[in-house]
Amino acid sequence: LAAATPVTGNISRVRIFTFDGTPLTELQCNVDRTWAIDTWGTGSLSLSKADPKCTAENLRFGNLVLVEHSKLPPWAGIIWPTSNAGRTWSRDVITVTLVGAEYLLSLRRSELNKWFEGSAGSIYRQIIAQGAAQGVWPVRAGRIWSGGNTLSIWMQANQLSGLVDVLRNDTGGEYAFRPIVDANTGRLVFEADWYKQRGADTPLLLTEDLNLDDTADDSMIEYGELINDALVWSTAGSWDEYVTAIGVDKDSQGLYGLAQVARFAGGNIPQATLQIQADQIIADQATTKREFRLTALDVGDTFHDLDLGNRLQIELVRYGFNGSSLGASAQARIVAMRFDDLTAKVALTLQET
């Protein structure tokens, strides 16, 4: 397997490894898989029962899976049962449930009453080290952004995935597991990456008359609680002394009417900090957000620019209001993807940036 032919064309290459990363076999089968920001993707592979590689050893729960495509990012995960699926046997085919490699975090627990301190990246590295200290684990620290403020987080016993969720929610950072196959041994390992924000700016344009599927059930959703007058306050000294800050968006008020909110920030917060918080509420919520669910076709270099976090341009004529006509133009970021080898199309979820 280590010296296997590189992936070419539009057919995905599917490799199976034991739970410690030892190579087992390569399959010829259809794989339906998803990617998502800051969680594990899901998937399934279907294999004929007549295939000589349809064996208990190859399709064992806990085995690692690496799916590669010449134009799309790799997908990696494990064969693992969920609450309602695992291995589904039909007359001629067995379908196996897959979960993304990041799910490995949910299969390890932390130490009891553990105190973490450091940057978000440093704490993430400590979390990965805890997982590795408990036995065979095909995960190691990868590319870790170490910037940001120093944090102090105390945790009772929890799944490592729960610790990462707390870290992500507190800092806005993002994580992913990146598959690496050793060129000499063929062993698979996942490098655990931590980002300030993942993804890159791309020149890609998605538009209906070029690289979007006109026959798909695509959509654009406008959503989000509107706030155009935000009061943020703090106590200062005695119980009846206050410090306040107000953020306002007059344009939003003119369009939608007055929408106020009051938020308590805690005790003894400087006024400048309160103002930053009030201004941020207005920046985030004075207008609605837009989410796009679009189906991309393999036209030109379209697939090469599709990866989680990547930013691109969208131009649509069927969705949204554009003055007196229909249409939408937006810079957007990919937050989820799905690809099925049978359809050879990528279903995208994008959020306006």
Side-chain angles (χ1 to χ4, degrees), residues 23-166:
L24 272 177
T25 191
E26 188 167 330
L27 303 178
Q28 295 291 325
C29 61
N30 173 62
V31 180
D32 181 0
R33 65 269 196 191
T34 71
W35 298 256
I37 289 278
D38 281 335
T39 187
W40 47 83
T42 59
S44 64
L45 66 81
S46 299
L47 191 64
S48 169
K49 290 189 287 185
D51 192 315
K53 294 184 178 181
C54 182
T55 66
E57 180 185 26
N58 290 339
L59 301 182
R60 179 174 294 141
F61 295 128
N63 280 356
L64 310 180
V65 180
L66 176 60
V67 186
E68 299 164 291
H69 188 279
S70 63
K71 297 182 180 181
L72 294 170
W75 188 96
I78 60 176
I79 299 174
W80 198 256
T82 65
S83 60
N84 58 6
R87 286 195 297 249
T88 301
W89 297 79
S90 62
R91 183 180 182 89
D92 300 313
V93 173
I94 178 172
T95 300
V96 178
T97 298
L98 311 175
V99 290
E102 293 83 2
Y103 188 80
L104 290 166
L105 288 166
S106 72
L107 301 180
R108 296 286 164 101
R109 62 175 177 264
S110 69
E111 298 175 18
L112 185 63
N113 297 332
K114 174 68 175 178
W115 185 266
F116 295 93
E117 191 165 5
S119 68
S122 172
I123 294 174
Y124 183 73
R125 190 183 297 274
Q126 294 173 58
I127 292 171
I128 299 304
Q130 279 203 19
Q134 298 180 59
V136 175
W137 206 41
V139 182
R140 66 190 183 202
R143 302 166 183 166
I144 295 180
W145 179 70
S146 58
N149 298 326
T150 298
L151 307 171
S152 296
I153 301 176
W154 177 76
M155 280 288 182
Q156 294 179 319
N158 200 343
Q159 304 310 111
L160 297 186
S161 56
L163 302 188
V164 172
D165 284 343
V166 170

Side-chain angles (χ1 to χ4, degrees), residues 226-230 247-249 252-253 256-260 282 285-286:
L226 286 169
I227 297 173
N228 48 40
D229 185 322
V248 172
D249 189 308
S252 175
Q253 292 178 11
Y256 313 121
L258 183 62
Q260 294 181 318
I282 296 301
Q285 297 186 244

